[in-house]
Amino acid sequence: MELVPHFIEIAYLPSHPNYDEKSCTDYQERIKATGGTFSVVPSGTTGLAADAVWGDPGLGEMRNWQIASAALAGRLIDLASRYDVLVAYCHEPVFSFAPIHVALQAEAAGVDITTVYVSHATAFVHEMPLPNPERLMAESLPVHWAKISPTVRLGSISHYMSHHLINEYGANPDTFVPTGNGVDTADHWYRQRSPDEMRELLTRYGVPVDQDLLVTFGRGVPYKRHDMLIRATAETRGSAHPVIMSDTELPDVRKLAARARVDATFITSFDRELMASLVQWPKTRVCSLSAENEPWGLIPMEARLLARDGGALLAAADSGGFSEQVADGIDGFLHTPNSPSQLAQVIDKILGLTENERTRIRRAGAKRVLIEEAWPIKMMESLRATVPGIDAVADAASRELAEGASRGLRKDEQSPE
């Protein structure tokens, strides 16, 4: 049995502020190396519809989702004519209509297609107290169509999101297949950087390299709760220096830091090298993630893999998808959501650990990511649950990947006594 990947995205203008030519080229080269293809479908927006009453500025409004979904459905039916089975993962509202188009046309075209609608967040999660009614309708369509058509499934990125779709959208639990987010553990980004390399980059961004650091990352939106690190630092009385890295300015959090007399470093950047260096830097003690009701999140995985040989230990909110990623005290720490005092206690606990205890937790965190959360393993789990007859192939591939990760860690697991 041969698996061939095809990646289809909505078209982005090179003038779009988020367009990254280097990343696009790199990813397309990697896709080509697998024997797969990359293509785009029309987008009815420039991606700059910031004044829209409803809709995502990057994806436009519902009319654009209809255009993109219809174009995708046509592309999927054409692709399916070349294969025995096609599994299509349709992410977010921009492709929410595609499963219905495909389900209604696949039989007439004589093709075997299973579509999986994957929701990474919903209007109820991120847009309350006034949700976008068009988004609610678009998200509800594949949820209910999965009850009608056996060729439409729902992707489960976490237990939290599955329960949310069941309780708030009326999803049928039997229609879910696993589509957990994972990380590419072979990515060069996870390499260990030299102290000189990290020091130079941190210094360039104004991060003090002579103090213990507490770091947090995330988009500049309220639910990420960047303020929690400032509030918790105020309660620890300056035992370490907080660094807040977000993609947009956080004026309210800056004002909070000034009022609380907390000396903090604010960085407005998407520099992934900086993020990796902050996590791996020997004097970084804590990577704090306090988002509430995070659907899943990649940073808990990324941080533990980056810090496998030194650097930050993870402290995440016991909320949403974060709760499912951390075994408290084993491979990281959990803190009570919206409780600066409890986060401060966790920070103090981490600061008080011995080096042997830090090493044990780092290795447990890295091992968990490599064996359970590498993206090839997640992909195999999803295909095994979706495609009849692929079980044996997926099981063998998953075992091989897990064994390979274990062999890579075996030498490192000789912890100092």
Side-chain angles (χ1 to χ4, degrees):
M1 180 178 292
E2 181 182 13
L3 301 177
V4 181
H6 297 275
F7 295 80
I8 304 173
E9 180 61 273
I10 58 169
Y12 263 73
L13 293 175
S15 59
H16 191 282
N18 290 341
Y19 184 86
D20 185 333
E21 184 175 0
K22 183 180 183 301
S23 292
C24 288
T25 300
D26 289 346
Y27 279 111
Q28 288 181 43
E29 288 177 352
R30 292 172 64 184
I31 292 168
K32 186 177 179 180
T34 68
T37 64
F38 173 82
S39 60
V40 298
V41 294
S43 174
T45 174
T46 62
L48 299 172
D51 295 330
V53 176
W54 302 113
D56 186 300
L59 301 176
E61 298 180 325
M62 187 172 68
R63 177 61 177 161
N64 191 57
W65 308 338
Q66 293 171 326
I67 293 169
S69 288
L72 176 64
R75 187 72 56 80
L76 294 176
I77 290 171
D78 178 61
L79 274 174
S81 65
R82 312 177 200 175
Y83 301 102
D84 294 327
V85 178
L86 185 92
V87 179
Y89 295 90
C90 304
H91 296 263
E92 300 294 8
V94 70
F95 290 135
S96 60
F97 297 89
I100 299 169
H101 291 313
V102 171
L104 293 174
Q105 296 298 320
E107 184 176 356
V111 293
D112 186 344
I113 306 178
T114 296
T115 54
V116 182
Y117 179 70
V118 187
S119 175
H120 296 270
T122 70
F124 278 135
V125 170
H126 287 162
E127 296 185 349
M128 295 299 284
L130 184 63
N132 177 346
E134 292 184 342
R135 181 174 174 178
L136 283 173
M137 184 183 76
E139 290 171 341
S140 297
L141 283 173
V143 168
H144 293 293
W145 210 264
K147 301 174 183 177
I148 298 169
S149 173
T151 63
V152 177
R153 310 298 293 275
L154 303 177
S156 172
I157 69 167
S158 65
H159 295 306
Y160 166 76
M161 277 302 295
S162 296
H163 292 156
H164 168 65
L165 291 175
I166 292 167
N167 295 332
E168 305 296 334
Y169 283 77
N172 181 345
D174 295 334
T175 62
F176 283 96
V177 295
T179 53
N181 289 345
V183 294
D184 180 4
T185 57
D187 192 326
H188 185 62
W189 185 62
Y190 292 105
R191 72 189 186 281
Q192 182 62 51
R193 290 146 183 84
S194 71
D196 288 344
E197 181 183 1
M198 292 187 286
R199 180 185 295 272
E200 189 279 328
L201 188 56
L202 267 59
T203 301
R204 192 195 316 162
Y205 276 92
V207 178
V209 295
D210 58 346
Q211 301 181 45
D212 286 344
L213 302 179
L214 314 171
V215 302
T216 190
F217 311 95
R219 291 181 294 113
V221 292
Y223 89 92
K224 293 290 186 180
R225 296 304 307 270
H226 297 88
D227 64 296
M228 284 283 289
L229 186 57
I230 298 298
R231 298 179 193 277
T233 302
E235 298 202 20
T236 63
R237 300 183 180 182
S239 54
H241 181 86
V243 179
I244 298 177
M245 184 175 175
S246 68
D247 64 331
T248 54
E249 279 287 348
L250 299 168
D252 290 342
V253 183
R254 283 181 180 270
K255 292 176 183 176
L256 173 65
R259 290 197 303 270
R261 297 182 180 181
V262 171
D263 180 27
T265 298
F266 289 86
I267 300 171
T268 305
S269 172
F270 253 146
D271 189 336
R272 280 171 58 79
E273 280 302 304
L274 175 62
M275 174 186 170
S277 294
L278 280 169
V279 172
Q280 291 184 343
W281 180 243
K283 292 185 76 66
T284 302
R285 301 305 183 190
V286 179
C287 175
S288 173
L289 303 172
S290 296
E292 295 183 53
N293 298 320
E294 181 72 54
W296 180 251
L298 292 175
I299 296 180
M301 292 178 269
E302 295 172 338
R304 284 176 291 182
L305 196 56
L306 285 166
R308 61 193 178 279
D309 294 323
L313 295 185
L314 179 66
D318 191 4
S319 173
F322 283 171
S323 301
E324 301 172 37
Q325 296 189 53
V326 182
D328 189 37
I330 304 299
D331 53 41
F333 295 88
L334 292 170
H335 66 82
T336 304
N338 195 28
S339 174
S341 297
Q342 221 276 316
L343 175 57
Q345 293 173 21
V346 171
I347 290 172
D348 284 338
K349 183 175 183 178
I350 292 175
L351 293 176
L353 292 174
T354 67
E355 193 53 44
N356 284 358
E357 290 171 327
R358 295 177 193 275
T359 299
R360 173 182 57 79
I361 294 169
R362 284 195 195 99
R363 290 177 178 170
K367 183 175 182 179
R368 176 171 181 169
V369 174
L370 286 168
I371 292 177
E372 298 181 15
E373 295 169 345
W375 77 260
I377 294 173
K378 295 288 191 181
M379 193 72 238
M380 289 301 174
E381 290 176 351
S382 184
L383 289 174
R384 184 171 55 242
T386 309
V387 183
I390 202 174
D391 302 59
V393 176
D395 285 340
S398 296
R399 283 195 302 272
E400 183 177 346
L401 289 164
E403 289 168 4
S406 295
R407 284 194 299 272
L409 284 176
R410 200 160 292 151
K411 182 178 179 181
D412 292 339
E413 287 177 344
Q414 306 303 314
S415 303
E417 297 298 330

